[in-house]
Amino acid sequence: MTIVPDTEITSIEAVLSSSPEWGGCHVTARSLSGGQAHKNYLVEDGQRRCVVKLWNNYWETVGVLPAAQVVLENTKIAADIGVGAPVITVSAEPLALALDFVAGGHPKLNADEDSIARLVPALHRLHHSGRRFLNDINPFDQAKQRMAAAKSHGIELPPGARAIQALMDRLETVLALNPAQFVPCHLDIWDANIIKQTSSMTYNIIDWDLAGNSDPCYEVGFVAAQNGFGQEKAHALFQAYFGNGDPVKIARARLFMAVAHWSNSGLWITALGNARPNDDADYAGELRTSWEGLITEITSPDFPELIKTAATPAALV
């Protein structure tokens, strides 16, 4: 974290001015690590702490993030459900969000022995809440939109992208998404977006920029893909989430790991092509990880059998 200049403090105090609890307070702030999309600050007034996110609309304009109002409302819904940090205030000018500070540390989802046991209850609270986010996310459409956004900015897709798109079209038929069965999903769960609370040791999920209603099998497949789970840990996650060894649901989640890597590849391709000179995020490294994960999944020896297991009868015709 680094000290924030006075000009930024002025913006932060303007955000908090609409809060009965924080309005009029003189604060100090430190920038938080991460924040590839927005500027995140840990804010203190000597007795309390909160987090302020100053909005960056740039990534919305190039097709990386949903509209700001969608993200802001989804963040409030997640807080209402009890899986996200409580919202203190939403500011229109400057466009920003203030959240309660959640004390804790970030887990290592791929390394911690208790990560699945702690993550699954948070996913169940979210997915079984009966709530709806403002937007639906079909990962196949999302990937196409991201690839189209890259092309529109003159960004070249990796070799083999056309063949993989054909495979994804086949998976879209096999998996036969039904928006009526969508549930609220985070869709960006990894170590930095989880806080293991100091008091309860439960998982609190933060940063709802990419959230939307989607297939729950996609959410758990995304978690496994995003965090580099091997087949053994991925299978353990799926069994814990579904509560049984249902081969169809597990096959769907495994296939969605490939879909997640493909959609993430589109995200990083677009981000890499639109990165600004002072942007120190490793988009190239993220793209390499997603692309390698994609190739690993689609070349897995059991991939054809997963398709057969997951496919509806109509998809096999």
Short mmCIF file of all heavy atoms in Angstrom, two decimals, residues 151-201:
data_model
loop_
_atom_site.label_atom_id
_atom_site.label_comp_id
_atom_site.label_asym_id
_atom_site.label_seq_id
_atom_site.Cartn_x
_atom_site.Cartn_y
_atom_site.Cartn_z
N LYS A 151 -11.11 -7.96 -31.72
CA LYS A 151 -10.98 -7.75 -33.17
C LYS A 151 -11.28 -6.30 -33.55
O LYS A 151 -10.62 -5.72 -34.41
CB LYS A 151 -11.92 -8.69 -33.92
CG LYS A 151 -11.45 -10.14 -33.97
CD LYS A 151 -12.38 -10.98 -34.83
CE LYS A 151 -11.90 -12.41 -34.94
NZ LYS A 151 -12.80 -13.24 -35.78
N SER A 152 -12.30 -5.71 -32.90
CA SER A 152 -12.69 -4.34 -33.24
C SER A 152 -11.59 -3.35 -32.91
O SER A 152 -11.56 -2.24 -33.46
CB SER A 152 -13.97 -3.96 -32.50
OG SER A 152 -13.74 -3.82 -31.11
N HIS A 153 -10.68 -3.74 -32.02
CA HIS A 153 -9.55 -2.87 -31.66
C HIS A 153 -8.26 -3.31 -32.36
O HIS A 153 -7.17 -2.89 -31.99
CB HIS A 153 -9.34 -2.86 -30.14
CG HIS A 153 -10.41 -2.10 -29.40
ND1 HIS A 153 -11.62 -2.68 -29.06
CD2 HIS A 153 -10.47 -0.82 -28.96
CE1 HIS A 153 -12.36 -1.78 -28.43
NE2 HIS A 153 -11.68 -0.65 -28.35
N GLY A 154 -8.42 -4.17 -33.37
CA GLY A 154 -7.26 -4.60 -34.15
C GLY A 154 -6.34 -5.55 -33.43
O GLY A 154 -5.16 -5.66 -33.79
N ILE A 155 -6.85 -6.25 -32.42
CA ILE A 155 -6.02 -7.18 -31.64
C ILE A 155 -6.12 -8.57 -32.26
O ILE A 155 -7.22 -9.09 -32.46
CB ILE A 155 -6.49 -7.22 -30.18
CG1 ILE A 155 -6.50 -5.80 -29.59
CG2 ILE A 155 -5.61 -8.13 -29.36
CD1 ILE A 155 -7.24 -5.69 -28.27
N GLU A 156 -4.99 -9.18 -32.54
CA GLU A 156 -4.99 -10.50 -33.14
C GLU A 156 -5.29 -11.58 -32.10
O GLU A 156 -4.81 -11.53 -30.97
CB GLU A 156 -3.62 -10.79 -33.78
CG GLU A 156 -3.34 -9.96 -35.02
CD GLU A 156 -2.09 -10.42 -35.74
OE1 GLU A 156 -1.57 -11.50 -35.38
OE2 GLU A 156 -1.63 -9.71 -36.63
N LEU A 157 -6.09 -12.56 -32.51
CA LEU A 157 -6.37 -13.70 -31.65
C LEU A 157 -5.27 -14.74 -31.80
O LEU A 157 -4.61 -14.81 -32.83
CB LEU A 157 -7.73 -14.32 -32.00
CG LEU A 157 -8.93 -13.37 -31.96
CD1 LEU A 157 -10.21 -14.16 -32.23
CD2 LEU A 157 -9.01 -12.64 -30.64
N PRO A 158 -5.05 -15.56 -30.77
CA PRO A 158 -3.98 -16.56 -30.84
C PRO A 158 -4.24 -17.56 -31.97
O PRO A 158 -5.39 -17.79 -32.36
CB PRO A 158 -4.05 -17.25 -29.48
CG PRO A 158 -4.73 -16.27 -28.59
CD PRO A 158 -5.70 -15.53 -29.45
N PRO A 159 -3.18 -18.18 -32.49
CA PRO A 159 -3.36 -19.23 -33.51
C PRO A 159 -4.26 -20.35 -32.97
O PRO A 159 -4.15 -20.74 -31.82
CB PRO A 159 -1.93 -19.73 -33.74
CG PRO A 159 -1.04 -18.61 -33.32
CD PRO A 159 -1.76 -17.94 -32.19
N GLY A 160 -5.13 -20.83 -33.82
CA GLY A 160 -6.04 -21.90 -33.41
C GLY A 160 -7.34 -21.40 -32.83
O GLY A 160 -8.21 -22.22 -32.48
N ALA A 161 -7.52 -20.09 -32.73
CA ALA A 161 -8.74 -19.54 -32.12
C ALA A 161 -9.99 -19.95 -32.89
O ALA A 161 -11.03 -20.23 -32.29
CB ALA A 161 -8.64 -18.03 -32.02
N ARG A 162 -9.90 -20.02 -34.21
CA ARG A 162 -11.08 -20.37 -35.00
C ARG A 162 -11.51 -21.81 -34.72
O ARG A 162 -12.70 -22.09 -34.56
CB ARG A 162 -10.80 -20.19 -36.49
CG ARG A 162 -11.99 -20.50 -37.38
CD ARG A 162 -11.69 -20.19 -38.84
NE ARG A 162 -11.42 -18.77 -39.04
CZ ARG A 162 -11.17 -18.23 -40.23
NH1 ARG A 162 -11.11 -19.01 -41.32
NH2 ARG A 162 -10.94 -16.95 -40.33
N ALA A 163 -10.55 -22.71 -34.63
CA ALA A 163 -10.88 -24.12 -34.35
C ALA A 163 -11.46 -24.27 -32.95
O ALA A 163 -12.41 -25.05 -32.73
CB ALA A 163 -9.64 -24.98 -34.50
N ILE A 164 -10.93 -23.52 -32.00
CA ILE A 164 -11.45 -23.60 -30.63
C ILE A 164 -12.85 -23.01 -30.56
O ILE A 164 -13.72 -23.53 -29.85
CB ILE A 164 -10.49 -22.93 -29.65
CG1 ILE A 164 -9.20 -23.74 -29.56
CG2 ILE A 164 -11.13 -22.80 -28.27
CD1 ILE A 164 -8.14 -23.14 -28.69
N GLN A 165 -13.11 -21.95 -31.34
CA GLN A 165 -14.46 -21.40 -31.37
C GLN A 165 -15.45 -22.44 -31.88
O GLN A 165 -16.58 -22.56 -31.36
CB GLN A 165 -14.52 -20.15 -32.24
CG GLN A 165 -15.90 -19.51 -32.31
CD GLN A 165 -16.40 -19.07 -30.95
OE1 GLN A 165 -15.85 -18.15 -30.36
NE2 GLN A 165 -17.44 -19.71 -30.44
N ALA A 166 -15.04 -23.23 -32.87
CA ALA A 166 -15.92 -24.30 -33.37
C ALA A 166 -16.20 -25.32 -32.28
O ALA A 166 -17.33 -25.82 -32.14
CB ALA A 166 -15.28 -24.96 -34.59
N LEU A 167 -15.17 -25.65 -31.49
CA LEU A 167 -15.37 -26.59 -30.38
C LEU A 167 -16.31 -25.99 -29.34
O LEU A 167 -17.18 -26.68 -28.79
CB LEU A 167 -14.02 -26.93 -29.74
CG LEU A 167 -14.06 -27.78 -28.46
CD1 LEU A 167 -14.72 -29.13 -28.74
CD2 LEU A 167 -12.65 -27.98 -27.92
N MET A 168 -16.15 -24.70 -29.05
CA MET A 168 -17.02 -24.04 -28.09
C MET A 168 -18.47 -24.02 -28.58
O MET A 168 -19.41 -24.16 -27.79
CB MET A 168 -16.54 -22.62 -27.80
CG MET A 168 -15.24 -22.56 -27.04
SD MET A 168 -15.37 -23.29 -25.38
CE MET A 168 -13.74 -24.02 -25.20
N ASP A 169 -18.66 -23.86 -29.88
CA ASP A 169 -20.01 -23.92 -30.43
C ASP A 169 -20.63 -25.29 -30.17
O ASP A 169 -21.83 -25.40 -29.86
CB ASP A 169 -19.99 -23.62 -31.93
CG ASP A 169 -19.63 -22.18 -32.25
OD1 ASP A 169 -19.74 -21.32 -31.34
OD2 ASP A 169 -19.25 -21.90 -33.39
N ARG A 170 -19.82 -26.33 -30.29
CA ARG A 170 -20.29 -27.69 -30.01
C ARG A 170 -20.64 -27.83 -28.53
O ARG A 170 -21.69 -28.39 -28.18
CB ARG A 170 -19.20 -28.70 -30.39
CG ARG A 170 -19.48 -30.14 -30.00
CD ARG A 170 -20.70 -30.69 -30.68
NE ARG A 170 -20.86 -32.12 -30.43
CZ ARG A 170 -22.03 -32.75 -30.45
NH1 ARG A 170 -23.13 -32.07 -30.70
NH2 ARG A 170 -22.08 -34.04 -30.23
N LEU A 171 -19.79 -27.31 -27.65
CA LEU A 171 -20.08 -27.38 -26.22
C LEU A 171 -21.33 -26.60 -25.86
O LEU A 171 -22.09 -27.00 -24.96
CB LEU A 171 -18.89 -26.87 -25.41
CG LEU A 171 -17.62 -27.72 -25.40
CD1 LEU A 171 -16.59 -27.12 -24.45
CD2 LEU A 171 -17.92 -29.17 -25.02
N GLU A 172 -21.57 -25.51 -26.54
CA GLU A 172 -22.77 -24.72 -26.27
C GLU A 172 -24.03 -25.55 -26.54
O GLU A 172 -25.00 -25.49 -25.79
CB GLU A 172 -22.78 -23.45 -27.12
CG GLU A 172 -23.95 -22.53 -26.82
CD GLU A 172 -23.86 -21.20 -27.54
OE1 GLU A 172 -22.99 -21.05 -28.43
OE2 GLU A 172 -24.66 -20.31 -27.20
N THR A 173 -23.99 -26.35 -27.60
CA THR A 173 -25.11 -27.24 -27.89
C THR A 173 -25.22 -28.34 -26.85
O THR A 173 -26.31 -28.65 -26.35
CB THR A 173 -24.95 -27.86 -29.28
OG1 THR A 173 -24.89 -26.82 -30.27
CG2 THR A 173 -26.09 -28.80 -29.61
N VAL A 174 -24.08 -28.92 -26.50
CA VAL A 174 -24.06 -30.02 -25.53
C VAL A 174 -24.59 -29.57 -24.17
O VAL A 174 -25.39 -30.27 -23.53
CB VAL A 174 -22.63 -30.57 -25.40
CG1 VAL A 174 -22.49 -31.47 -24.17
CG2 VAL A 174 -22.23 -31.33 -26.65
N LEU A 175 -24.16 -28.42 -23.71
CA LEU A 175 -24.49 -27.97 -22.36
C LEU A 175 -25.87 -27.30 -22.27
O LEU A 175 -26.41 -27.18 -21.17
CB LEU A 175 -23.40 -27.03 -21.85
CG LEU A 175 -22.05 -27.73 -21.63
CD1 LEU A 175 -20.93 -26.72 -21.40
CD2 LEU A 175 -22.12 -28.71 -20.47
N ALA A 176 -26.42 -26.87 -23.40
CA ALA A 176 -27.82 -26.43 -23.49
C ALA A 176 -28.24 -25.54 -22.31
O ALA A 176 -29.10 -25.91 -21.51
CB ALA A 176 -28.74 -27.64 -23.59
N LEU A 177 -27.64 -24.38 -22.20
CA LEU A 177 -27.94 -23.48 -21.09
C LEU A 177 -29.41 -23.06 -21.07
O LEU A 177 -29.99 -22.78 -22.12
CB LEU A 177 -27.05 -22.24 -21.16
CG LEU A 177 -25.56 -22.45 -20.90
CD1 LEU A 177 -24.81 -21.16 -21.06
CD2 LEU A 177 -25.34 -23.02 -19.52
N ASN A 178 -29.98 -22.98 -19.87
CA ASN A 178 -31.36 -22.55 -19.69
C ASN A 178 -31.37 -21.35 -18.75
O ASN A 178 -31.22 -21.51 -17.54
CB ASN A 178 -32.19 -23.69 -19.11
CG ASN A 178 -33.66 -23.29 -18.91
OD1 ASN A 178 -34.06 -22.16 -19.20
ND2 ASN A 178 -34.45 -24.22 -18.41
N PRO A 179 -31.57 -20.13 -19.28
CA PRO A 179 -31.53 -18.94 -18.42
C PRO A 179 -32.52 -18.98 -17.27
O PRO A 179 -32.29 -18.33 -16.24
CB PRO A 179 -31.86 -17.80 -19.39
CG PRO A 179 -31.40 -18.32 -20.73
CD PRO A 179 -31.70 -19.79 -20.70
N ALA A 180 -33.59 -19.74 -17.41
CA ALA A 180 -34.57 -19.84 -16.32
C ALA A 180 -33.97 -20.53 -15.10
O ALA A 180 -34.48 -20.38 -13.99
CB ALA A 180 -35.80 -20.60 -16.79
N GLN A 181 -32.89 -21.27 -15.30
CA GLN A 181 -32.23 -21.98 -14.20
C GLN A 181 -30.98 -21.26 -13.71
O GLN A 181 -30.27 -21.77 -12.86
CB GLN A 181 -31.88 -23.40 -14.63
CG GLN A 181 -33.10 -24.24 -14.98
CD GLN A 181 -32.74 -25.61 -15.51
OE1 GLN A 181 -31.58 -25.92 -15.76
NE2 GLN A 181 -33.74 -26.45 -15.70
N PHE A 182 -30.72 -20.07 -14.23
CA PHE A 182 -29.56 -19.30 -13.80
C PHE A 182 -29.74 -18.85 -12.35
O PHE A 182 -30.86 -18.62 -11.87
CB PHE A 182 -29.36 -18.07 -14.68
CG PHE A 182 -28.74 -18.37 -16.03
CD1 PHE A 182 -28.47 -19.67 -16.44
CD2 PHE A 182 -28.43 -17.33 -16.90
CE1 PHE A 182 -27.91 -19.93 -17.68
CE2 PHE A 182 -27.86 -17.58 -18.14
CZ PHE A 182 -27.60 -18.88 -18.53
N VAL A 183 -28.61 -18.71 -11.67
CA VAL A 183 -28.58 -18.21 -10.29
C VAL A 183 -27.54 -17.09 -10.22
O VAL A 183 -26.68 -16.97 -11.10
CB VAL A 183 -28.20 -19.34 -9.30
CG1 VAL A 183 -29.25 -20.45 -9.33
CG2 VAL A 183 -26.81 -19.90 -9.59
N PRO A 184 -27.58 -16.25 -9.18
CA PRO A 184 -26.57 -15.20 -9.06
C PRO A 184 -25.18 -15.81 -8.85
O PRO A 184 -24.99 -16.64 -7.96
CB PRO A 184 -27.03 -14.38 -7.85
CG PRO A 184 -27.90 -15.32 -7.07
CD PRO A 184 -28.56 -16.20 -8.08
N CYS A 185 -24.23 -15.41 -9.68
CA CYS A 185 -22.86 -15.95 -9.64
C CYS A 185 -21.86 -14.80 -9.57
O CYS A 185 -22.10 -13.73 -10.12
CB CYS A 185 -22.57 -16.80 -10.88
SG CYS A 185 -23.57 -18.31 -11.02
N HIS A 186 -20.73 -15.06 -8.95
CA HIS A 186 -19.66 -14.06 -8.86
C HIS A 186 -18.81 -14.04 -10.12
O HIS A 186 -18.49 -12.98 -10.66
CB HIS A 186 -18.78 -14.36 -7.64
CG HIS A 186 -17.69 -13.37 -7.42
ND1 HIS A 186 -16.46 -13.44 -8.06
CD2 HIS A 186 -17.62 -12.28 -6.61
CE1 HIS A 186 -15.70 -12.44 -7.66
NE2 HIS A 186 -16.37 -11.73 -6.78
N LEU A 187 -18.35 -15.19 -10.57
CA LEU A 187 -17.64 -15.39 -11.83
C LEU A 187 -16.27 -14.72 -11.89
O LEU A 187 -15.78 -14.39 -12.97
CB LEU A 187 -18.51 -14.94 -13.02
CG LEU A 187 -19.85 -15.69 -13.12
CD1 LEU A 187 -20.67 -15.15 -14.29
CD2 LEU A 187 -19.63 -17.19 -13.26
N ASP A 188 -15.66 -14.52 -10.74
CA ASP A 188 -14.27 -14.07 -10.71
C ASP A 188 -13.65 -14.46 -9.36
O ASP A 188 -12.92 -13.68 -8.75
CB ASP A 188 -14.18 -12.56 -10.93
CG ASP A 188 -12.74 -12.10 -11.21
OD1 ASP A 188 -11.92 -12.95 -11.67
OD2 ASP A 188 -12.44 -10.92 -10.99
N ILE A 189 -13.95 -15.67 -8.90
CA ILE A 189 -13.49 -16.10 -7.59
C ILE A 189 -12.07 -16.63 -7.67
O ILE A 189 -11.80 -17.62 -8.35
CB ILE A 189 -14.43 -17.17 -7.00
CG1 ILE A 189 -15.78 -16.51 -6.63
CG2 ILE A 189 -13.81 -17.83 -5.77
CD1 ILE A 189 -16.82 -17.48 -6.11
N TRP A 190 -11.17 -15.93 -7.00
CA TRP A 190 -9.79 -16.38 -6.83
C TRP A 190 -9.27 -15.76 -5.53
O TRP A 190 -10.01 -15.05 -4.85
CB TRP A 190 -8.93 -16.03 -8.04
CG TRP A 190 -8.76 -14.56 -8.32
CD1 TRP A 190 -9.73 -13.69 -8.74
CD2 TRP A 190 -7.55 -13.80 -8.24
NE1 TRP A 190 -9.20 -12.42 -8.92
CE2 TRP A 190 -7.87 -12.46 -8.62
CE3 TRP A 190 -6.24 -14.12 -7.90
CZ2 TRP A 190 -6.91 -11.45 -8.63
CZ3 TRP A 190 -5.28 -13.10 -7.92
CH2 TRP A 190 -5.63 -11.79 -8.30
N ASP A 191 -8.05 -16.07 -5.19
CA ASP A 191 -7.53 -15.72 -3.87
C ASP A 191 -7.79 -14.26 -3.48
O ASP A 191 -8.25 -13.97 -2.37
CB ASP A 191 -6.02 -15.98 -3.80
CG ASP A 191 -5.65 -17.44 -4.02
OD1 ASP A 191 -6.57 -18.27 -4.12
OD2 ASP A 191 -4.45 -17.73 -4.12
N ALA A 192 -7.50 -13.32 -4.38
CA ALA A 192 -7.58 -11.91 -4.05
C ALA A 192 -9.02 -11.44 -3.85
O ALA A 192 -9.24 -10.39 -3.24
CB ALA A 192 -6.91 -11.07 -5.14
N ASN A 193 -9.99 -12.19 -4.35
CA ASN A 193 -11.39 -11.79 -4.23
C ASN A 193 -12.11 -12.54 -3.10
O ASN A 193 -13.34 -12.51 -3.03
CB ASN A 193 -12.13 -12.00 -5.54
CG ASN A 193 -11.76 -10.94 -6.57
OD1 ASN A 193 -11.22 -9.90 -6.21
ND2 ASN A 193 -12.05 -11.20 -7.82
N ILE A 194 -11.34 -13.20 -2.24
CA ILE A 194 -11.88 -13.86 -1.05
C ILE A 194 -11.18 -13.29 0.18
O ILE A 194 -9.96 -13.12 0.19
CB ILE A 194 -11.64 -15.38 -1.09
CG1 ILE A 194 -12.34 -16.02 -2.29
CG2 ILE A 194 -12.09 -16.03 0.22
CD1 ILE A 194 -13.82 -16.14 -2.14
N ILE A 195 -11.97 -12.98 1.19
CA ILE A 195 -11.41 -12.60 2.49
C ILE A 195 -11.84 -13.65 3.51
O ILE A 195 -13.04 -13.89 3.69
CB ILE A 195 -11.86 -11.21 2.93
CG1 ILE A 195 -11.33 -10.14 1.96
CG2 ILE A 195 -11.38 -10.91 4.36
CD1 ILE A 195 -11.80 -8.75 2.27
N LYS A 196 -10.88 -14.26 4.16
CA LYS A 196 -11.15 -15.21 5.24
C LYS A 196 -11.25 -14.39 6.52
O LYS A 196 -10.24 -13.89 7.02
CB LYS A 196 -10.03 -16.25 5.33
CG LYS A 196 -10.29 -17.39 6.28
CD LYS A 196 -9.16 -18.42 6.19
CE LYS A 196 -9.40 -19.62 7.06
NZ LYS A 196 -8.30 -20.62 6.94
N GLN A 197 -12.47 -14.21 7.01
CA GLN A 197 -12.70 -13.30 8.12
C GLN A 197 -11.96 -13.74 9.38
O GLN A 197 -11.93 -14.92 9.72
CB GLN A 197 -14.20 -13.19 8.40
CG GLN A 197 -14.99 -12.60 7.25
CD GLN A 197 -16.43 -12.35 7.62
OE1 GLN A 197 -16.72 -11.82 8.70
NE2 GLN A 197 -17.34 -12.72 6.75
N THR A 198 -11.37 -12.76 10.05
CA THR A 198 -10.57 -13.04 11.24
C THR A 198 -11.40 -13.65 12.36
O THR A 198 -10.96 -14.60 13.03
CB THR A 198 -9.91 -11.73 11.73
OG1 THR A 198 -9.09 -11.19 10.70
CG2 THR A 198 -9.07 -11.99 12.97
N SER A 199 -12.61 -13.15 12.56
CA SER A 199 -13.42 -13.60 13.70
C SER A 199 -14.07 -14.96 13.46
O SER A 199 -13.95 -15.87 14.27
CB SER A 199 -14.50 -12.56 14.02
OG SER A 199 -15.30 -12.31 12.87
N SER A 200 -14.75 -15.11 12.33
CA SER A 200 -15.52 -16.33 12.07
C SER A 200 -14.78 -17.35 11.22
O SER A 200 -15.19 -18.51 11.16
CB SER A 200 -16.82 -15.97 11.35
OG SER A 200 -16.54 -15.42 10.07
N MET A 201 -13.72 -16.93 10.52
CA MET A 201 -12.96 -17.76 9.58
C MET A 201 -13.79 -18.17 8.37
O MET A 201 -13.40 -19.05 7.60
CB MET A 201 -12.39 -19.01 10.28
CG MET A 201 -11.54 -18.71 11.50
SD MET A 201 -10.11 -17.65 11.11
CE MET A 201 -9.03 -18.85 10.35
#
